[in-house]
């Protein structure tokens, strides 16, 4: 930071430290009255805090006034500044909203140039059949607010010239070919484009006045505007503009940012920079926010904001210095001044940005109001309620509110891109840090330091937040505001504008008696605003029912069906629009007797259902619905006329009949209605074979078994070939396979089985099982198994010698118990059935051995007998 800039920042802190002694905050945002609907001669109760805020105890004297007082003060301000009645001002705002709604479709058509407002009409500048057709469509069936006009013909230049058709296109070309030095704005007005260049941009931060002991800031002497000569390799502004037939060059005065909250009410950032709050808003999660100017956040360096009481602001009539002790407002969140990440425009990078900041973590007890103060009274600030946003247009009637100059009105002169000096600008020309901002200007609206961030409105619609002014020789020539719709689009995650909503009320019969099944009707008053915000709904809450939200039409009308039972009906109603709330109101109606019509099934009966755990339909709200027939269950019809009844008892499949009847105490039951539904049974379960199971050919199971729906018919196939011979109820079936007949096996007690088929080849096989109820078949249960070769035959060595004995009768050595295993490739072994012969061979071998041993012993005995000596 250069020495001059550093000195300025030091002086800010010196001035802040030397401020007057602290003054307790006598009135903050919590003291702003809640704006209720206008009710003549009846004092209205305060409106509850919007969702996400806490009303908390009042920090000052809270005064509730009728809307008539506010409207009177506002009418006086509108008449003084614009020469219009309040009705005319509101109508102008509604016309601006209609123009904004149409702009998107018009911009896409060939021949379109721009939109302006004049004498209660929307002037669509351009030409061509497509544009004319769209204008005709917008005017049908009426009113005929749109008028297609040809823009003024450009003055033919001495040499061939280009024609520009877009502000962004012109801005990018200028920054590329000329640069940002001295550039103030690129805008569109009165049928042509304007380049404003050549001024000195100076900041205008609002800081406390110095005391006698504090040094006085040195203000740089005003310097003459720089020449419009070109840098090397660049065009001069005049040379650039000479290229175009519909672009004019203007030499502007100095643009000054007004770094100084709330619907015009003031706030102080870090006890240094004073600004004004713009609009209440909500985060994507419904938390309250305040939108203000991005440059007030000092490129993201500002941390906290404190509330300035209305009575302490110059616009509130105060002539004393602001209090040094302020009640907390919140913490700065996202901010952007200029391009993304607070970037300046250069010849290389010229992303167009905005001037917006978000104050979040709003202090408990503050009640943000969807309104801009007109500063008619610091106790009852004659607010203008906000019901939506609209884009700015040339000729549009607008008003702005700020803590320094209060409430000022005028008209939009041009819309485009303005170059605002950033906090790193170096005097005297500040060209090294110029921030491009999508904005609009007005020569008739006045402002001053501290008004930055304040709201600009048209009728009851939000248009922009104040960003700065152009001043020459101490006289302001232009006030500039960042376009709100563009600003909100840059905030990550998006935000919702806080909207003013009146509470609902009942209309129609004087005794408020409605027949059951007919509409209970009501309305939402628009006054003191000009209209009810679009897409509003009324939330109806009745004990014992889930709340419902019913739509509100353009005239503020809403309705819902009178629910049963008959008798008094107490309920609450609340207008809602996104996170904006009106506060709930308790209402009472009377429901009279009416005959019950038959209920209607909405669960489809024309297609098969994968399951049926409940049935749904429509009927009279509040009635009891009873199901019978093939199903059972009871439930209550919801407020929106729908019902969904869980089924009791076992699951049902196949062709299922259901009968529904509505009933309510004191009136006759409705006619019964019966419908037949098709319910697909689940796939059966295969329990005896699992996927990947290996079976030996010589050890196959007796059956294939599983479970399913009791009473279903089961069909099995292996490799696509049906099986037969099922066992039912535990009986024994055949092991033969009839491969030409597809059997149906009745499931008894949830179990089924079928004999395992003989003759399956070695290898992989696929088992598929389905079940059917009333001819409605399930999907298949599938298991893949493998049949392996039989186990190899094992032969003991004693039974099958490895070699043929010699002719002399030699036998294998004693003790040799080794067995001979014939390989599976041995044809004799492979064809030999396991009949137990190997055991007989072993027994015979043992017997033969015993006989041989016996023979040897007998021969020895005889020999011994022959050799015995003769006794003497």
């Amino acid at each position: 930071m250069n020495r001059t800039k550093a000195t300025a920042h030091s002086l800010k802190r010196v001035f802040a430290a030397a401020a007057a002694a602290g003054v307790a905050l006598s009135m903050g945002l919590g003291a702003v009255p809640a704006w209720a609907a206008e009710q003549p001669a009846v004092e209205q109760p305060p409106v509850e805090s919007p969702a996400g805020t806490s009303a908390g105890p009042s920090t000052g004297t809270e005064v509730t006034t009728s809307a008539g007082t506010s409207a009177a003060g506002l009418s006086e301000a509108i008449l003084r500044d614009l020469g219009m009645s309040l009705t005319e001002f509101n109508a102008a705002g509604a016309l601006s909203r209609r123009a904004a709604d149409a702009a998107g479709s018009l911009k896409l058509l060939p021949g379109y140039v721009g939109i302006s407002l004049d004498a209660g009409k929307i002037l669509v500048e351009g030409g061509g059949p497509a544009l004319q057709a769209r204008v005709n469509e917008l005017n049908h069936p009426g009113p005929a607010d749109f008028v297609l006009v040809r823009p003024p013909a450009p003055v033919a230049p001495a040499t061939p010239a280009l024609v520009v058709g877009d502000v962004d296109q012109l801005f990018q070309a200028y920054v590329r070919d000329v640069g940002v030095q001295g550039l103030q704005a690129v805008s569109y007005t009165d049928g042509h484009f304007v380049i404003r260049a050549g001024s000195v941009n100076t900041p205008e931060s609002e800081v406390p006045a110095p005391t006698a002991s504090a040094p006085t800031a040195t203000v740089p002497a005003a310097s003459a505007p720089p020449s419009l000569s070109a840098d090397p390799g660049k065009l001069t502004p005049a040379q650039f503009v000479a290229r175009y037939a519909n672009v004019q060059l203007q030499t502007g005065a100095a643009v000054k940012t007004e770094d100084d909250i709330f619907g015009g009410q003031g706030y102080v950032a870090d006890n240094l920079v004073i600004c004004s709050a713009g609009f209440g808003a909500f985060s994507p999660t419904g938390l309250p926010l305040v939108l203000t100017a991005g440059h007030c956040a000092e490129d993201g360096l500002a941390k906290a904001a404190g509330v300035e009481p209305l009575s302490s602001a110059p616009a509130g009539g105060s002539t004393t210095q602001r209090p040094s002790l302020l009640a907390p407002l919140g913490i700065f969140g996202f901010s952007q001044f200029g391009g993304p990440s607070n970037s300046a425009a250069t010849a290389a990078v010229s992303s167009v940005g905005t001037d917006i900041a978000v104050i979040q973590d709003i202090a408990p007890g503050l009640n943000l109001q969807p309104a801009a103060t007109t500063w008619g009274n610091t106790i009852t600030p004659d607010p203008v309620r906000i019901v939506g946003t609209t884009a700015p247009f040339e000729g549009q009637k607008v008003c702005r509110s700020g803590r320094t100059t209060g409430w000022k009105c005028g008209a939009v002169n041009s819309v485009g891109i303005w170059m605002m000096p950033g906090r790193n600008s170096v005097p005297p020309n500040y060209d090294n840090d110029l921030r491009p901002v999508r904005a609009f200007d007005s020569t008739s609206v006045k402002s001053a330091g501290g008004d930055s961030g304040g709201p600009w409105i048209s009728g009851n619609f939000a248009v922009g937040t104040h960003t700065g002014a152009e001043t020459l020789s101490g006289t302001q020539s232009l006030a500039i505001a960042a376009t709100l719709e563009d600003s909100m689009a840059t905030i990550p995650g998006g935000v919702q504008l806080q909207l003013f909503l009146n509470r609902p009320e009942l209309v129609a019969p004087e005794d408020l008696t409605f027949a059951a099944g007919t509409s209970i009707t009501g309305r939402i008053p628009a006054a003191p605003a000009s209209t009810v915000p679009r897409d509003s709904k009324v939330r109806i809450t009745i004990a014992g029912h889930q709340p419902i939200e019913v739509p509100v039409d353009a005239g503020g009308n809403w309705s819902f069906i009178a629910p049963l039972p008959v008798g008094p009906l107490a309920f609450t109603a609340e207008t809602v629009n996104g996170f904006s709330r009106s506060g709930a109101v308790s209402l009472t109606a009377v429901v009279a007797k009416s005959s019950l019509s038959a209920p209607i099934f909405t669960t489809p009966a024309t297609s098969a259902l994968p399951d049926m755990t409940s049935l749904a339909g429509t009927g009279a709200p509040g009635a009891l619905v009873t199901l019978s027939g093939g199903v059972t269950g009871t439930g209550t019809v919801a407020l929106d006329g729908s019902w969904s009844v869980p089924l009791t008892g076992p699951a049902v499949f196949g062709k299922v009949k259901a009968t529904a009847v509505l009933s309510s105490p004191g009136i006759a039951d409705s006619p019964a209605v019966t419908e037949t539904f098709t319910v697909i049974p689940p796939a059966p379960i295969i329990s005896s074979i699992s996927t990947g199971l290996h079976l030996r050919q010589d050890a196959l199971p007796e059956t294939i078994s599983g479970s399913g729906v009791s009473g279903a018919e089961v069909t099995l196939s292996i490799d696509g070939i049906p099986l037969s011979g099922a066992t039912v109820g535990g009986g024994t079936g055949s092991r033969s396979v009839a491969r030409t007949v597809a059997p149906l096996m009745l499931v008894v007690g949830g179990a089924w089985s079928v004999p395992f088929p003989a003759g399956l080849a070695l290898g992989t096989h696929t088992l598929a099982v389905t079940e059917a109820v009333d001819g409605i078949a399930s999907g298949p249960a599938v298991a893949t198994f493998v049949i392996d070769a039989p186990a190899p035959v094992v032969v003991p060595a004693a039974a099958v010698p490895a070699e043929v004995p010699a002719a002399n009768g030699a036998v294998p050595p004693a003790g040799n118990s080794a067995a001979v295993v014939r390989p599976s490739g041995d044809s004799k072994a492979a064809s030999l059935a396991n009949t137990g012969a190997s055991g007989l061979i072993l027994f015979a071998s043992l017997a033969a051995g015993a006989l041989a041993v016996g023979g040897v012993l007998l021969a020895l005995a005889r020999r011994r007998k022959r050799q015995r000596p003769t006794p003497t």
Side-chain angles (χ1 to χ4, degrees):
M1 180 181 296
N2 61 60
R3 179 173 298 178
T4 302
K5 192 68 175 179
T7 300
H9 279 274
S10 298
L11 286 174
K12 287 183 180 181
R13 300 191 179 276
V14 171
F15 295 158
V23 177
L25 181 62
S26 61
M27 182 178 69
L29 280 80
V32 178
W35 310 118
E38 182 176 0
Q39 298 290 341
V42 179
E43 184 171 305
Q44 299 298 312
V47 176
E48 285 80 352
S49 302
T53 67
S54 172
S58 173
T59 57
T61 303
E62 187 165 312
V63 178
T64 302
T65 62
S66 70
T69 302
S70 174
L74 177 59
S75 297
E76 182 180 349
I78 296 294
L79 182 63
R80 178 195 68 218
D81 293 336
L82 293 176
M84 303 173 70
S85 68
L86 179 59
T87 300
E88 291 171 331
F89 182 66
N90 288 336
L95 190 69
S96 299
R97 178 68 261 180
R98 193 169 182 215
D101 290 342
S105 61
L106 291 168
K107 289 178 180 178
L108 300 176
L109 299 177
Y112 171 82
V113 175
I115 290 182
S116 61
L117 305 179
D118 185 47
K121 296 294 182 181
I122 303 170
L123 306 183
V124 180
E125 299 181 31
L131 206 57
Q132 183 64 66
R134 179 56 180 155
V135 167
N136 295 341
E137 182 180 339
L138 291 169
N139 284 329
H140 182 77
D145 292 333
F146 291 85
V147 179
L148 182 62
V149 297
R150 290 196 172 276
V155 178
T159 58
L162 303 174
V163 175
V164 68
D166 181 81
V167 165
D168 287 82
Q169 174 191 357
L170 184 62
F171 173 77
Q172 298 293 342
Y174 186 91
V175 171
R176 180 190 65 236
D177 297 340
V178 180
V180 300
Q181 291 75 18
L183 177 62
Q184 287 180 273
V186 179
S187 63
Y188 179 83
T189 183
D190 196 24
H192 62 272
F193 295 87
V194 174
I195 299 290
R196 293 182 66 85
S199 69
V200 175
N201 301 320
T202 56
E204 190 184 67
S205 300
E206 180 70 54
V207 297
T211 63
S213 59
T216 302
T218 301
V219 180
S223 57
S227 66
L228 300 183
S229 60
D231 290 337
K234 295 288 187 178
L235 299 175
T236 65
Q239 290 171 334
F240 177 85
V241 168
R243 292 175 168 182
Y244 298 91
N246 59 339
V247 179
Q248 295 181 5
L249 177 64
Q250 294 181 1
T251 301
V255 173
K256 301 179 293 183
T257 57
E258 294 168 352
D259 286 336
D260 274 323
I261 184 171
F262 222 155
Q265 186 170 354
Y267 71 91
V268 182
D270 291 347
N271 212 31
L272 288 175
V273 178
I274 302 178
C275 285
S276 298
F279 300 97
F282 295 102
S283 73
T285 58
L287 297 177
L289 309 170
V290 171
L291 304 182
T292 186
H295 68 262
C296 296
E298 293 285 298
D299 284 355
L301 297 179
K303 304 301 181 185
V307 180
E308 179 185 54
L310 289 169
S311 58
S312 297
S318 175
T319 58
T320 62
Q321 190 176 357
R322 65 175 176 84
S324 59
L325 296 178
L326 301 173
L329 170 62
I331 305 299
F332 280 95
F334 171 82
S335 67
Q336 181 175 326
F337 181 31
S341 301
N342 304 304
S343 60
T346 66
V349 180
S350 54
S351 297
V352 181
T354 187
D355 186 11
I356 192 70
V358 174
I359 301 176
Q360 58 193 28
D361 298 331
I362 301 301
L366 297 185
N367 183 21
L368 305 186
Q369 293 292 327
T373 177
T374 61
W375 298 96
N377 188 309
T378 59
I379 304 299
T380 57
D382 297 339
V384 176
R385 279 72 168 185
I386 305 302
V387 298
T389 63
T390 187
F393 298 98
E394 178 191 347
Q396 184 180 39
K397 302 303 182 183
V398 290
C399 294
R400 51 148 296 278
S401 179
R403 52 88 58 192
T404 304
T405 58
W407 180 257
K408 302 296 180 183
C409 299
V412 173
N413 286 92
S414 68
V415 180
I417 301 166
W418 283 86
M419 301 294 281
M420 307 301 296
R423 68 186 306 272
N424 300 314
S425 296
V426 178
N429 55 29
Y430 299 95
D431 283 342
N432 67 307
D433 186 17
L434 291 179
R435 314 284 180 89
V437 174
R438 293 195 183 278
F440 58 96
D441 65 7
S442 173
T443 58
S444 50
V445 175
K446 301 304 178 183
S447 62
D451 287 335
S452 276
W456 285 62
I457 64 171
S458 179
N460 295 110
F461 295 94
V463 184
T465 51
H466 190 65
T467 190
E470 176 186 278
T471 303
L472 182 63
S473 301
T475 301
Q476 183 183 104
S477 54
L478 286 175
I480 306 165
T483 306
L484 184 63
E485 290 183 337
D486 291 321
S487 297
M488 292 175 64
T490 67
I491 300 173
V495 296
Q496 289 184 15
L497 196 67
Q498 185 187 17
L499 305 177
F500 167 73
L501 300 171
N502 269 317
R503 294 178 177 184
E505 58 187 32
L506 290 175
V507 296
E510 290 185 5
D511 59 359
L512 297 179
T513 298
F514 305 87
T518 63
S519 293
I520 293 178
T521 57
R523 69 182 181 92
I524 300 172
S530 58
T531 186
V532 177
R534 64 176 62 186
D535 301 323
S536 293
K537 296 178 174 62
V538 173
R539 185 177 179 87
I540 305 295
T541 304
I542 300 176
H545 290 272
Q546 287 293 323
I548 61 170
E549 292 185 356
V550 298
V552 178
D553 67 19
N557 303 302
W558 55 272
S559 65
F560 71 102
I561 302 300
L564 293 165
V566 297
L569 173 67
F571 63 98
T572 63
E574 182 179 29
T575 311
V576 298
N577 193 304
F579 293 117
S580 297
R581 299 286 189 270
S582 70
V585 60
S586 296
L587 300 173
T588 301
V590 178
V591 179
K593 287 185 179 181
S594 178
S595 60
L596 283 171
S597 300
I600 298 173
F601 284 104
T602 56
T603 300
T606 56
S607 58
L609 305 174
D611 56 41
M612 192 164 71
T613 58
S614 65
L615 285 174
T618 59
L624 178 70
V625 57
T626 302
L627 300 178
S628 60
V631 297
T632 57
T634 59
T636 301
V637 182
L639 293 179
D640 63 358
S642 66
W643 53 265
S644 180
V645 177
L647 302 183
T648 57
V652 291
F653 303 100
K655 299 292 185 180
V656 182
K657 285 189 176 182
T659 298
V661 173
L662 298 181
S663 61
S664 185
I667 57 178
D669 291 353
S670 74
V673 60
T674 300
E675 190 63 82
T676 300
F677 299 91
T678 300
V679 187
I680 301 172
I685 297 173
I686 305 171
S687 56
S688 63
I689 294 179
S690 59
T691 294
L693 179 68
H694 282 256
L695 302 173
R696 273 193 4 227
Q697 194 178 46
D698 57 342
L700 297 175
E702 290 292 325
T703 61
I704 302 173
S705 60
S707 60
V709 175
S710 183
E713 295 176 326
V714 179
T715 303
L716 291 85
S717 66
I718 293 181
D719 302 331
I721 301 174
L723 302 184
S724 65
T727 65
V728 178
T732 302
S734 169
R735 287 180 58 81
S736 63
V737 179
R739 295 177 178 266
T740 59
V741 179
L744 298 176
M745 293 155 284
L746 182 66
V747 173
V748 176
W752 56 265
S753 69
V754 63
F756 195 93
L760 291 179
L762 300 181
T764 301
H765 299 275
T766 299
L767 169 66
V769 186
T770 61
E771 62 181 344
V773 178
D774 298 333
I776 308 302
S778 72
V782 178
T784 301
F785 62 93
V786 180
I787 297 181
D788 295 326
V793 177
V794 180
V795 181
V800 184
E803 297 180 0
V804 179
N808 60 8
V811 297
N816 185 358
S817 60
V820 176
V821 180
R822 294 191 181 275
S824 59
D826 191 317
S827 61
K828 293 181 179 180
S831 61
L832 179 63
N834 186 6
T835 61
S838 59
L840 294 176
I841 293 172
L842 177 60
F843 180 81
S845 299
L846 293 174
L851 290 174
V853 172
V856 172
L857 293 176
L858 181 60
L860 289 175
R862 289 179 177 176
R863 182 177 179 183
R864 191 172 293 172
K865 184 176 180 181
R866 288 195 300 268
Q867 294 177 352
R868 182 182 301 168
T870 303
T872 57

